[in-house]
Amino acid sequence: MARIRVLVVDDHRIFAESLAAALAAEQDVDVAAAGSGPAALRCLERGAAEGRRFDVLLVDADLGTAADGVGPPLPAPAELPYGGANGTAHSGIHGGAHGGPHGGAHGGPARAVNGRAADGISLVGAVRSAQPGVRTVVLAERDDPRRAAAALQAGASGWVAKDCSLVRLLAVIRGVLREETHLPPALLTGVLRELTAARKHRTESERLVESLTPREREVLRCMVAGLGRKAVAERLFLSPHTVRTHMQNVLGKLGVHSTLAAVALARRAGVGPVDLAGEIVERGGQLA
């Protein structure tokens, strides 16, 4: 029987322990747990390095939203043995962002995943980038069509209520491994509406970006990367005055009034930053 490796990610210790123990009672399920986004990424990396990749990630939609310093630190790895009926898997609740087993400096939830907020949906995107073969299911305390749509766009395969039955959760876990997408029926209409609206905004953004000249698109990608006017000028071998003109043209054609708004629109259109690997650049330049 093929075994399913599941990683539970939740900074509420009692919930994480209880869910991990319940899942571990299944004959074909091995389960581990992590108390933060960074800890989850470390678990995934370690599992891949050891040839024991996780199949499914169950992540709290509200991960990392509790106040810092609230609650006791999570126990060290391997204190809590979970696994299938044969007891082959062992894991503890792995803690926070500082590389140790006990969470943040005060035992609170971690706050960043690769420099981003450690909420559940951000973690979904990080996992999709790092290990696209892992299926993610978001566990939520309430139905929220907008966040559910955002989770799907980030790469989640399902959105499940935290108060659902274990039978239902296991059905979702097995379903996403068959490439299925699972949503509560009550959320379907709202999620479809959100996805349609997001696609409409993306299409409009793409149309506006297409109106730019090749040089203006290059400047926009530099703006997305956070480069200031001087850094853009040096990178493109242009004068700062010329770069300023290009930036003003970009804002005008996109119909926005700030660099921040231009970057947000560019991202909706799928425009990525220029590659800055190995470069030392000046950031934060603003239009005069």
Side-chain angles (χ1 to χ4, degrees):
M1 179 187 298
R3 304 193 65 76
I4 302 172
R5 299 201 71 226
V6 177
L7 179 61
V8 178
V9 188
D10 197 300
D11 49 12
H12 292 84
R13 176 177 174 176
I14 293 178
F15 178 83
E17 291 180 5
S18 300
L19 179 56
L23 291 172
E26 293 296 307
Q27 294 282 341
D28 61 341
V29 177
D30 293 335
V31 58
S36 71
L41 292 177
R42 289 196 298 272
C43 286
L44 292 172
E45 291 169 1
R46 184 165 57 249
E50 295 173 354
R52 298 183 298 111
R53 290 183 179 273
F54 285 94
D55 301 299
V56 178
L57 185 81
L58 302 179
V59 57
D60 177 21
D62 298 316
L63 182 70
T65 58
D68 286 339
V70 175
L74 298 173
E79 287 186 12
L80 303 170
Y82 300 125
N86 63 6
T88 56
H90 297 276
S91 71
I93 303 292
H94 302 270
H98 300 290
H102 297 291
H106 303 286
R111 287 295 179 183
V113 175
N114 292 339
R116 302 173 63 189
D119 64 282
I121 295 175
S122 292
L123 179 59
V124 170
V127 170
R128 183 183 186 183
S129 297
Q131 296 196 29
V134 177
R135 300 290 175 262
T136 57
V137 176
V138 177
L139 306 178
E141 292 185 357
R142 59 191 178 280
D143 287 345
D144 186 332
R146 180 169 297 179
R147 296 191 71 204
L152 294 182
Q153 289 176 310
S157 297
W159 178 280
V160 179
K162 277 192 170 183
D163 60 359
C164 76
S165 68
L166 183 62
V167 171
R168 167 63 179 161
L169 181 57
L170 285 166
V172 171
I173 289 173
R174 301 183 197 283
V176 298
L177 290 175
R178 295 192 297 267
E179 306 296 333
E180 298 172 0
T181 300
H182 285 257
L183 286 171
L187 273 181
L188 282 175
T189 299
V191 168
L192 287 175
R193 185 183 300 116
E194 292 292 334
L195 292 176
T196 300
R199 179 58 193 167
K200 180 179 179 181
H201 291 153
R202 180 181 175 87
T203 301
E204 175 63 15
S205 299
E206 290 173 341
R207 185 187 66 78
L208 290 171
V209 169
E210 287 173 358
S211 71
L212 303 179
T213 66
R215 176 63 83 184
E216 288 166 350
R217 290 182 202 174
E218 201 169 6
V219 169
L220 178 59
R221 292 187 63 213
C222 290
M223 294 164 67
V224 172
L227 300 186
R229 189 191 309 161
K230 181 180 178 181
V232 175
E234 293 176 353
R235 181 183 183 88
L236 302 182
F237 303 102
L238 300 172
S239 72
H241 176 76
T242 300
V243 170
R244 177 184 177 184
T245 299
H246 282 313
M247 287 183 166
Q248 290 175 333
N249 289 341
V250 167
L251 297 186
K253 289 184 178 181
L254 297 185
V256 296
H257 301 286
S258 69
T259 297
L260 184 62
V263 169
L265 188 150
R267 289 194 175 279
R268 285 199 300 272
V271 176
V274 292
D275 184 10
L276 302 178
E279 296 187 17
I280 301 176
V281 297
E282 174 212 4
R283 294 180 178 270
Q286 298 179 347
L287 290 176

